Amino acid sequence: MTRIKGLRRLVGLAAAALLGTGLAAPSAQAQQKEVTVWSWFIQSTMQKSIAAFEKQHPDVKVNYTYYNYSPEYITALKAAAASGSLPDVIGLQPGSLTQQYRDDLAPVNDLAAKAWGAGWADKVFPVNRKQMLMGNPQGDENYYIVPQESQVLCIWYNRKLFETLKLGVPKTYDELKAAAKALTAGGYIPMFQGAADGWQNENVFLMLANQFSAGIVDKAQAGTAKWTSPELVSAMKAWKGLFDDGIFQQGALGAHAYPTGAQLFAQARVGMMALGSWWMQESKFPPPLSQYIQNMDGFDFFYLPAVAGAPGASPPVGGIDIGYGLTKNGARNPAAWTFLASLTNGEALQEALNDLNDLPAFAGHEPKGDVSDHVKAMSARFMTDLPKAENQRFAQPAVAEALDNALAGVADGSLQPEAALAAVQAATDKALGK
């Protein structure tokens, strides 16, 4: 996964606090339409989105059920799909998760065109548009997911610690190693890696692979390039180097990015961390916040510098953070699409952006309200990079799982890069029916 928001620091308002205060007259209640929504999307922000939607649509009541992503949400979806009781709208990631439930989802092409015009898809950032179709059978151009938010992966760093240690932003791998060494010598964790989490390992590997050849992972998972190609072998060796060169902390293989790594990072115990644009939302959580988190004053980001043999630094990598699908149950409820449209490209989306939850998936949106100049500047940098981002998603869960195993095996020394990638190739061949 990408970073899964269900693994983020979870804060929020109880649903009853915002949803249980309706004072509508009995006759109005009887006429009120209801929409059911399930997701791992942070509850406090979702409730703000629902409130904004219900203000514009007082005849609709949205019932939101929050789950931790894994295993609760995944388990709940499986059970509901098996019993035909899926809610109207479900949170999705593009690729494997969307494909897992494609038979339970209604295509939204016509609904979106009616709501936003025939050229609506052109307003979706290119990497998102590509991910919306990931894993569809050949010739199926239907959209089963509408993206709500985008993300760009990067290396965040604590700029206050860097100033204290008189470190510059690393522009080369040697400078990155020097920064890690100085942080370690100063008693800090250099770059926190939750290597027990497959999603964070995938993200770093994608940064490395795209250094050697932009888009090569996409080609490999589509079967048009080999996982054992020299570029990917070099990326896998560079991945091992991050452990061997002391870039990652000791004990990284048993560590989790959330909550442990994020908490340490927020408290200035960590110098760097591979996360993404979503890190900005930490500044919108309820107090108390550390001095580094307030207005994100302590943080800034850079892209992973070129490793040995790579022609350049990591390009932006990212795409859809979270999207939503209209279930076939929801397709029979007109209010369900009305809410989904608002959540992804309307007043409900704006509330999520104002909470700095992440970047928009559609062009033409930006956060408003109480946002510092520093955060605005960083958000603008991400938005500049988003249109040229490389894909971070996998179409087949078996391929992602094989890559996770390969990365873990190489990191702990039990697998050599070539053998590890050969196993990923075998999983890809099987998934593609070769």
Side-chain angles (χ1 to χ4, degrees):
M1 107 184 150
T2 160
R3 140 261 16 175
I4 292 297
K5 288 188 176 176
L7 294 175
R8 296 176 181 174
R9 173 181 170 193
L10 298 177
V11 294
L13 303 174
L18 287 176
L19 294 178
T21 56
L23 299 175
S27 59
Q29 288 180 326
Q31 297 172 0
Q32 196 169 43
K33 293 165 280 189
E34 294 194 0
V35 177
T36 52
V37 183
W38 290 6
S39 166
W40 67 94
F41 191 84
I42 187 167
Q43 185 159 281
S44 57
T45 299
M46 178 63 89
Q47 297 304 344
K48 293 177 184 176
S49 293
I50 290 172
F53 171 79
E54 291 182 342
K55 185 177 180 180
Q56 294 295 318
H57 302 273
D59 59 331
V60 181
K61 177 178 175 56
V62 179
N63 296 312
Y64 177 57
T65 302
Y66 166 84
Y67 293 91
N68 280 319
Y69 182 81
S70 180
E72 289 85 356
Y73 185 62
I74 299 303
T75 302
L77 280 186
K78 285 181 181 177
S83 63
S85 58
L86 283 169
D88 296 323
V89 176
I90 57 175
L92 292 168
Q93 288 186 344
S96 58
L97 187 61
T98 297
Q99 292 303 316
Q100 186 175 349
Y101 294 98
R102 176 164 44 83
D103 290 344
D104 301 294
L105 297 169
V108 297
N109 302 48
D110 292 342
L111 290 168
K114 184 176 180 180
W116 301 321
W120 69 274
D122 295 336
K123 298 177 183 175
V124 179
F125 291 106
V127 66
N128 296 339
R129 204 161 57 238
K130 180 178 184 178
Q131 292 175 348
M132 290 167 70
L133 295 172
M134 280 188 70
N136 276 12
Q138 189 170 9
D140 186 347
E141 297 298 318
N142 286 317
Y143 295 117
Y144 299 95
I145 177 176
V146 184
Q148 182 196 27
E149 293 181 344
S150 308
Q151 61 188 12
V152 174
L153 307 180
C154 64
I155 306 297
W156 284 95
Y157 71 102
N158 187 315
R159 59 179 185 166
K160 301 298 184 184
L161 289 187
F162 271 55
E163 289 172 6
T164 299
L165 298 174
K166 302 186 185 309
L167 297 172
V169 177
K171 293 182 173 59
T172 67
Y173 190 67
D174 284 342
E175 291 179 2
L176 183 66
K177 285 197 295 185
K181 184 176 180 180
L183 285 161
T184 301
Y188 302 102
I189 294 170
M191 183 184 292
F192 191 100
Q193 180 71 9
D197 302 320
W199 67 268
Q200 201 183 26
N201 298 342
E202 289 172 15
N203 288 352
V204 173
F205 182 75
L206 286 165
M207 295 180 195
L208 293 167
N210 281 290
Q211 286 191 6
F212 288 93
S213 179
I216 192 169
V217 172
D218 258 6
K219 295 175 183 175
Q221 65 169 319
T224 58
K226 294 291 187 183
W227 282 98
T228 51
S229 64
E231 296 90 343
L232 288 172
V233 171
S234 295
M236 190 61 88
K237 291 179 178 177
W239 161 251
K240 183 67 163 66
L242 295 174
F243 293 85
D244 296 343
D245 293 338
I247 306 297
F248 294 152
Q249 81 280 17
Q250 292 290 323
L253 288 170
H256 294 278
Y258 286 90
T260 308
Q263 290 175 350
L264 292 171
F265 197 30
Q267 295 162 7
R269 298 285 306 282
V270 171
M272 300 175 283
M273 197 165 176
L275 295 169
S277 45
W278 68 83
W279 180 248
M280 294 186 293
Q281 73 165 338
E282 294 279 329
S283 65
K284 287 291 188 177
F285 287 150
L289 299 175
S290 78
Q291 61 176 306
Y292 307 97
I293 289 293
Q294 292 178 31
N295 296 316
M296 298 304 290
D297 282 346
F299 296 97
D300 207 327
F301 70 91
F302 61 90
Y303 294 113
L304 189 65
V307 297
S314 300
V317 177
I320 298 174
D321 180 343
I322 185 171
Y324 291 86
L326 183 69
T327 68
K328 290 181 177 175
N329 292 335
R332 292 188 284 271
N333 177 6
W337 167 256
T338 304
F339 177 67
L340 195 157
S342 172
L343 189 61
T344 55
N345 195 21
E347 63 272 5
L349 168 67
Q350 187 61 56
E351 291 298 321
L353 298 180
N354 294 349
D355 252 13
L356 300 176
N357 199 66
D358 218 330
L359 311 174
F362 286 74
H365 298 282
E366 62 181 9
K368 298 178 181 176
D370 183 18
V371 181
S372 72
D373 290 343
H374 175 53
V375 172
K376 285 180 181 176
M378 291 193 294
S379 181
R381 287 161 56 197
F382 280 127
M383 290 302 296
T384 297
D385 292 338
L386 179 59
K388 53 192 176 187
E390 297 292 337
N391 171 45
Q392 74 164 113
R393 298 296 185 183
F394 291 87
Q396 302 289 343
V399 175
E401 183 178 354
L403 179 59
D404 291 348
N405 293 336
L407 291 167
V410 170
D412 69 16
S414 63
L415 290 174
Q416 293 299 311
E418 294 84 353
L421 287 166
V424 184
Q425 183 64 50
T428 302
D429 289 344
K430 183 177 181 180
L432 295 176
K434 291 186 175 179

